[in-house]
Amino acid sequence: MAQPIGYDDTPILPGTNWHVHDGNRPQPPLVTPGEFSTQQAPGAPPADAVILFDGTDLSGWERRDGGEAGWKVEDGYMEVVPGTGYIRSKQQFGDCHLHVEFRCPDEIKGESQGRGNSGVFLMGQYEIQVLDGHDNPTYADGTTGAIYGQYPPLANACRKPGEWNVYDIIWEAPRFEGDDLARPAYVTVILNGIVLHHHRELRGVTSHKVVTEYEPHGSVGPLDLQDHGDLVRFRNIWYRPLVGYDET
Ligand code: MG
């Protein structure tokens, strides 16, 4: 007979139904990990990821006004077509681990906010900046990885123009009770393996040249990608919902 695992004669962990080392506590679900991306190719997503863009088409995307997404797709990536507008995922989601890869043009054009600018907008309104931040001075709360207009990143972890960059973003959506903010949004941002923000509390929705505030919204929203007029590419976009399997 197999030895029982764990203990049932240990103290109860406060706030839970479980003993310390409880043998009956549910096991975490099995998730087959993906592969890390290289410059040559995106890595396979984790087995249970929700795929938003796999490099083949824009069927999961639309323009912000609901029209057809005007960006182009080729060779496994999508690229901004300037003037066609922001695009948004048809999927809506809240708390998540979001994975996005981007590449700024290898041909260097413009400076400051005019070089390789795009953006990852969580729930359609909270921007993590995408910019060619390599040797490109700009205001700190607008550089690559900034929570735009709120917090500079802890580091400039940009790769050179023409190279792929990898965002892993852990997003906790804000909670509202009626029109009141019950809990702000928090975000952790990792760029190319470097922590840029660690559980940072957001001040509100993204805005320009003003101190921002929250505006009440629902518990889910789309992912928006910004058309800022530059030829930025994206690939390998997926998320995993953050759901507790064992919250008691
Ligand atoms: Mg931007």
Side-chain angles (χ1 to χ4, degrees):
M1 208 172 104
Q3 286 287 350
I5 55 169
Y7 299 81
D8 59 9
D9 58 354
T10 45
I12 292 284
L13 287 162
T16 79
N17 298 321
W18 310 113
H19 293 269
V20 178
H21 313 312
D22 199 318
N24 293 318
R25 196 169 184 173
Q27 297 292 317
L30 213 55
V31 176
T32 304
E35 301 286 340
F36 291 112
S37 295
T38 66
Q39 288 300 318
Q40 288 71 39
D48 64 347
V50 179
I51 310 297
L52 297 176
F53 177 66
D54 68 0
T56 55
D57 62 50
L58 291 179
S59 56
W61 298 80
E62 60 191 5
R63 249 181 17 210
R64 253 185 175 172
D65 64 6
E68 197 174 327
W71 295 18
K72 77 174 177 187
V73 175
E74 59 185 19
D75 298 335
Y77 59 80
M78 62 163 94
E79 183 178 292
V80 177
V81 174
T84 61
Y86 289 46
I87 62 171
R88 69 180 180 199
S89 65
K90 293 177 183 172
Q91 281 270 351
Q92 300 207 3
F93 49 98
D95 297 358
C96 65
H97 167 192
L98 174 70
H99 180 98
V100 178
E101 302 181 19
F102 70 91
R103 175 194 181 278
C104 296
D106 46 7
E107 184 189 352
I108 296 172
K109 264 167 96 171
E111 57 186 25
S112 185
Q113 294 292 298
R115 185 184 299 178
N117 194 335
S118 181
V120 170
F121 281 70
L122 293 140
M123 305 185 91
Q125 40 192 346
Y126 303 93
E127 184 183 18
I128 306 301
Q129 174 70 302
V130 168
L131 191 80
D132 176 4
H134 183 83
D135 195 21
N136 179 29
T138 188
Y139 46 86
D141 69 15
T143 194
T144 315
I147 301 169
Y148 187 81
Q150 300 185 33
Y151 296 100
L154 293 172
N156 180 337
C158 267
R159 296 201 189 279
K160 291 180 183 152
E163 296 184 353
W164 285 98
N165 294 273
V166 178
Y167 266 144
D168 284 286
I169 298 170
I170 320 304
W171 174 250
E172 292 176 55
R175 271 43 170 190
F176 298 93
E177 280 167 12
D179 284 346
D180 297 328
L181 179 69
R183 205 186 80 186
Y186 294 94
V187 72
T188 295
V189 178
I190 299 172
L191 176 64
N192 301 321
I194 305 292
V195 176
L196 305 190
H197 300 281
H198 177 215
H199 205 248
R200 187 83 79 178
E201 177 182 327
L202 272 70
R203 298 178 186 274
V205 299
T206 295
S207 51
H208 185 51
K209 297 172 76 173
V210 296
V211 174
T212 180
E213 295 177 359
Y214 281 95
E215 295 162 12
H217 57 74
S219 59
V220 296
L223 173 69
D224 287 23
L225 299 175
Q226 185 181 40
D227 170 10
H228 200 281
D230 296 328
L231 303 176
V232 177
R233 296 175 183 175
F234 292 91
R235 71 179 188 187
N236 202 22
I237 307 175
W238 52 261
Y239 74 90
R240 298 184 64 247
L242 289 187
V243 283
Y245 72 97
D246 174 25
E247 286 173 342
T248 58

